[in-house]
Amino acid sequence: MNISIVGTTPFVDQKPGTSGLRKKVTVFQTPHYLENFVQAIFDAIPQGEKTALVLGGDGRYYNRQAIQIIIRMAAANGFKRLLVGQHGYLSTPAASVVIRKQKLDGGIILSASHNPGGPDGDFGIKFNTRNGGPAPESVTDRIHDIASSLAEYRIMAADELDIDTCGCYQLGETTIEVIDPVSDYVELMEQLFDFTSIKALFNSGVFNMAFDAMHAITGPYASEILVRCLGAAEESLMNIQPKEDFGGGHPDPNLVYAHELVALFEQPITAPDFGAASDGDGDRNMILGRDVFVTPSDSLAIMAANAHLLPGYASGIKGVARSMPTSRAVDLVAECLGVECYETPTGWKFFGNLMDEGLITLCGEESFGSGSDHIREKDGLWAVLFWLNLIAIKKQSVHKIVLTHWQAFGRHYYSRHDYEGVDQGKASAMIEGLRDRLDGLNGRQFGNISITLADDFSYLDPVDGSRCDRQGIRLSFSDESRIVVRMSGTGTEGATVRVYYERYEPANGKLEEETQAYLASLFVIAEELMQLQSSTGRAKPDIIT
Ligand code: G16
């Protein structure tokens, strides 16, 4: 065996953010940069858990090269088994399925999620642990500490491995299994949903769907499940061929970046009945219907209210969780069902303990993520199947399902305003400035509403007792409105400031107003409190979702 021990200079910037380490491709191409971080991951895995891993990614530029390097490093680090997705493909939810089903010690997922790809785009590495979920902060902190002081890494000299053909290969003492990235995932979806009724929906001849894979990883999964298993028309899938640069697009399923899909819904006569899109690594989703965009927060609430209708959730849900900036629509459903609703910081990793402990069944985030305890990641296609199954059972349009929900629970009008690539110093000064003034804000009047709570969100994990502070500023008002502001942990250029707005309208009120107009009074308050325009240097947000 030809194992080299290569000297490296530590990289102090290898601190994982909201979801793994994300940097420009050019940064990952810096000599030893990728290797340094991968060795830190391997060193952070406890002895006795260094046996078997899965490896794959969203197919973005540098995926294939990184996979070859990591295969040779895994072999040099003594792993017994390394499962690699064919062509280097593995969606984030599918990686979680494989880890759990095959009882592996964890997995490495190569993705910068919804961030653009290509030689000038972004690349990323995430490490998932034995439960199939993103490594918790205690582990990512350990990886960062090791990466910041590492002196050398181990790598085996070997020819490039054929990752395009499924089969087993031996590299030293490591067995490399190139696996079908789709099959385990499909098998699990078949257990959770009623494929027969979804098939009947597609066969009815009166239901049209459009699914946009945005040239990212969901393409192969959508083809297999929606077309081959469920009988949807091939033409109903868009952009299903994964491309290294996502076809030059931004694989983020929202109203701005999924414009090709959104345009179909702007044609009154030919608009599909149901539309959906997924992101770079397949864990996000957006749901559309004729005349309606389902906010991710509403989607979670509607799923919670209706889960008992679907085979995988027929016995009801144990509890729910949402990230702090996500609207409180699901809180009302939980209250009605008599189950607990947990409020966590932004980041899927915070849901893992709650699911492992059996405290929650469903969870979601405003950032187009929803999922359940079937795995430990958010799951884009799972959400699409959930909605399809709901439509098939209820025999109602998306619009009708949403409206009926609001008529029962009231509506949380909701929008997120993003200011991207802002000067880091100015963004921090704005948020710090607000943080310093929080105590004095309680009770402050704005027109006919006043602030009832002004704080910086802290989370005490009810399972392991770990604590996270400074997770975003919350301003709650006397009419149940909220403004939340925090800095994104997933950007790679400057700072991205996110401001979240939420205003509640009761069930017997005005349920179908235009969202931005309905929230406008809150925009004025945010400007007054933070001077958003001068602090960000923007007259208006870059992205409104
Ligand atoms: C990641 C995390 C999510 C988070 C989102 C946005 O999603 O997994 O939990 O809500 O980023 O985070 P931020 O507001 O810090 O940018 P993904 O799909 O990018 O992995």
Side-chain angles (χ1 to χ4, degrees):
M1 272 187 298
N2 193 355
I3 294 174
S4 307
I5 298 183
V6 183
T8 172
T9 45
F11 292 92
V12 288
D13 67 338
Q14 294 192 330
K15 185 169 175 53
T18 310
S19 180
L21 183 70
R22 287 185 196 172
K23 300 279 176 195
K24 291 274 163 218
V25 167
T26 46
V27 173
F28 272 102
Q29 288 170 326
T30 309
H32 310 308
Y33 194 89
L34 173 82
E35 293 86 344
N36 195 83
F37 191 68
V38 172
Q39 187 65 54
I41 293 175
F42 289 161
D43 289 356
I45 301 174
Q47 280 306 329
E49 293 184 19
K50 288 188 206 268
T51 310
L53 295 180
V54 69
L55 170 66
D58 61 14
R60 67 177 59 225
Y61 184 82
Y62 203 54
N63 195 49
R64 292 179 73 91
Q65 293 90 324
I67 282 184
Q68 294 293 341
I69 293 170
I70 298 170
I71 288 174
R72 292 192 287 125
M73 288 185 69
N77 277 273
F79 285 90
K80 296 270 168 296
R81 280 176 82 199
L82 182 68
L83 280 60
V84 181
Q86 187 184 22
H87 312 303
Y89 292 163
L90 207 53
S91 76
T92 290
S96 189
V97 172
V98 173
I99 294 168
R100 293 170 69 79
K101 185 177 173 200
Q102 312 276 349
K103 299 197 184 338
L104 306 180
D105 296 311
I108 293 179
I109 305 167
L110 305 176
S111 171
S113 186
H114 54 286
N115 296 16
D120 300 320
D122 291 347
F123 190 75
I125 303 190
K126 305 188 279 186
F127 176 62
N128 282 28
T129 53
R130 282 177 143 181
N131 71 350
E137 296 224 316
S138 54
V139 176
T140 53
D141 286 349
R142 196 156 73 231
I143 293 171
H144 178 226
D145 285 348
I146 297 170
S148 315
S149 57
L150 199 71
E152 56 193 32
Y153 61 86
R154 296 167 71 81
I155 189 160
M156 185 178 282
D159 291 338
E160 197 162 285
L161 200 99
D162 174 12
I163 56 170
D164 296 316
T165 313
C166 289
C168 285
Y169 306 86
Q170 200 63 29
L171 210 54
E173 288 169 8
T174 310
T175 307
I176 317 287
E177 298 168 40
V178 178
I179 59 165
D180 172 1
V182 178
S183 54
D184 285 343
Y185 181 80
V186 178
E187 191 186 295
L188 182 56
M189 293 303 117
E190 279 169 338
Q191 291 162 21
L192 297 175
F193 301 111
D194 179 0
F195 272 33
T196 309
S197 58
I198 304 177
K199 222 186 258 181
L201 179 69
F202 283 128
N203 283 338
S204 66
V206 293
F207 179 77
N208 286 317
M209 175 190 74
F211 175 82
D212 191 351
M214 304 189 86
H215 285 307
I217 193 64
T218 337
Y221 296 86
S223 298
E224 179 64 18
I225 298 177
L226 299 175
V227 175
R228 208 194 61 74
C229 301
L230 295 170
E234 264 181 58
E235 313 77 73
S236 59
L237 305 191
M238 304 157 64
N239 303 319
I240 52 167
Q241 186 56 47
K243 292 192 175 163
E244 290 198 330
D245 66 347
F246 307 116
H250 195 138
D252 198 356
N254 60 40
L255 294 174
V256 178
Y257 292 126
H259 43 80
E260 224 179 306
L261 176 74
V262 171
L264 298 179
F265 285 83
E266 283 160 0
Q267 308 300 321
I269 308 211
T270 54
D273 299 293
F274 175 79
S278 193
D279 70 331
D281 60 331
D283 56 3
R284 295 186 176 203
N285 76 89
M286 175 173 72
I287 303 294
L288 298 173
R290 275 177 176 238
D291 302 323
V292 66
F293 153 64
V294 189
T295 69
S297 300
D298 276 348
S299 181
L300 173 63
I302 292 167
M303 285 174 168
N306 293 288
H308 61 281
L309 300 174
L310 310 190
Y313 306 93
S315 55
I317 55 174
K318 297 176 218 156
V320 293
R322 61 161 173 83
S323 66
M324 182 274 282
T326 303
S327 100
R328 290 164 298 173
V330 73
D331 300 35
L332 298 187
V333 177
E335 199 183 320
C336 170
L337 295 175
V339 299
E340 197 67 40
C341 176
Y342 297 86
E343 184 175 41
T344 61
T346 292
W348 205 262
K349 58 194 166 202
F350 294 102
F351 296 134
N353 275 349
L354 300 175
M355 289 193 265
D356 286 350
E357 201 64 17
L359 298 175
I360 61 167
T361 306
L362 295 177
C363 47
E365 296 187 275
E366 51 65 40
S367 54
F368 295 83
S370 35
S372 84
D373 58 0
H374 66 291
I375 52 171
R376 295 295 179 269
E377 284 282 2
K378 55 186 182 276
D379 192 343
L381 262 182
W382 168 88
V384 174
L385 292 169
F386 198 116
W387 270 91
L388 286 170
N389 205 158
L390 215 52
I391 294 165
I393 289 174
K394 285 184 168 265
K395 302 196 181 352
Q396 289 174 345
S397 67
V398 177
H399 187 237
K400 176 80 180 153
I401 292 173
V402 172
L403 189 60
T404 309
H405 185 86
W406 292 339
Q407 285 164 344
F409 293 95
R411 175 173 179 187
H412 288 78
Y413 284 89
Y414 188 85
S415 183
R416 185 177 99 186
H417 290 191
D418 291 342
Y419 299 81
E420 296 185 338
V422 176
D423 177 83
Q424 187 82 46
K426 284 188 178 164
S428 303
M430 180 185 83
I431 291 184
E432 288 304 326
L434 182 61
R435 192 173 269 132
D436 290 345
R437 285 182 284 128
L438 283 179
D439 285 345
L441 287 179
N442 270 301
R444 182 157 158 192
Q445 198 77 24
F446 294 89
N448 55 1
I449 60 171
S450 60
I451 295 185
T452 51
L453 171 97
D455 74 353
D456 195 350
F457 181 61
S458 287
Y459 180 63
L460 185 64
D461 187 307
V463 178
D464 65 15
S466 60
R467 192 187 163 86
C468 277
D469 295 318
R470 296 165 74 93
Q471 294 298 313
I473 293 172
R474 288 190 294 191
L475 302 173
S476 301
F477 295 84
S478 49
D479 66 344
E480 295 188 46
S481 297
R482 274 203 321 172
I483 300 174
V484 170
V485 58
R486 59 179 283 279
M487 213 100 91
S488 159
T490 55
T492 56
E493 268 172 83
T496 295
V497 176
R498 303 204 196 283
V499 191
Y500 312 76
Y501 300 97
E502 174 183 341
R503 196 175 152 201
Y504 180 65
E505 179 73 22
N508 58 358
K510 295 176 184 159
L511 297 175
E512 297 205 74
E513 300 296 300
E514 200 279 317
T515 300
Q516 300 302 315
Y518 191 86
L519 295 172
S521 56
L522 295 177
F523 306 159
V524 176
I525 297 175
E527 179 59 32
E528 186 178 333
L529 287 173
M530 290 181 277
Q531 290 78 50
L532 277 162
Q533 293 191 11
S534 57
S535 306
T536 61
R538 306 286 150 81
K540 55 183 182 48
D542 297 287
I543 303 287
I544 296 179
T545 50

